[in-house]
Amino acid sequence: MYDFSLQLLLAVFAVFILACLGYGLLRLRALRADAAEEYADRTATKPATVRGVSEADFIRLYVRSFAPRWAFYLAAGCVIAIALSPVALILIPAAYDQLWLASGAQDWAGRGGYVFMFTVFFGVVAFGALPAFVLARLHHTRAPEPFTHALARARGEPIPEDTGWRRRPKWARRVRPDADVDADSSASAGDGASSD
């Protein structure tokens, strides 16, 4: 039964990894088609936006900016976690045995106890969390620049200075509580009148 459950778990992980890779590759193919349509539309309607940029460069920039990188990083994280699990299941009990013997080899902390199971479980989780942390960090630090910036750079223009934050317009009023409503509600609550 144990072998079948382990094989089933590995099969589920394999299907998940293949699904992530398949989704990523299908999206890349669709993005290339979208980029070709976008380039054709821009050359017809807004030629200044693609001035000096070839179709191949435009497609490369478009795909790089909008690619589903998370799918590939997720698949890589699962592969690394699966590869590290046997290593973790060898190293963690070996290290636990050394610590257990060094601390006096108490019966309650032996290999069959809850402390051992706790250590192995969270040790395997840590072995999976460390590559997840590294891959998340890589995903964040290697993020491509926004498409508008990449396209401006390809045209040889300065990068737009849009910060994403804008000042509140002068015509927009701030929301303030209505003083008359607060005074009426506190007066009716103070005199003990009921609305029955």
Side-chain angles (χ1 to χ4, degrees), residues 10 24 36 57 96 105 108-109 116 153 162 165 167 173 181 184:
L10 287 175
D57 288 340
Y96 181 85
W108 57 268
F116 174 75
R153 187 182 309 278
D162 57 344
W165 176 83
R167 299 179 62 88
R173 297 185 316 179
V181 172
D184 291 343

Side-chain angles (χ1 to χ4, degrees), residues 71-148:
F72 299 112
Y73 279 98
L74 191 58
C78 287
V79 168
I80 292 170
I82 289 171
L84 285 181
S85 293
V87 175
L89 291 174
I90 292 170
L91 291 179
I92 294 167
Y96 181 85
D97 285 342
Q98 295 304 316
L99 290 173
W100 178 59
L101 291 173
S103 65
Q106 303 293 328
D107 289 337
W108 57 268
R111 270 210 172 216
Y114 288 122
V115 176
F116 174 75
M117 289 187 275
F118 179 86
T119 304
V120 170
F121 176 76
F122 284 106
V124 170
V125 168
F127 263 75
L130 182 64
F133 167 75
V134 171
L135 287 173
R137 186 80 179 142
L138 284 174
H139 182 269
H140 176 69
T141 56
R142 298 180 66 200
E145 63 185 338
F147 178 66
T148 54

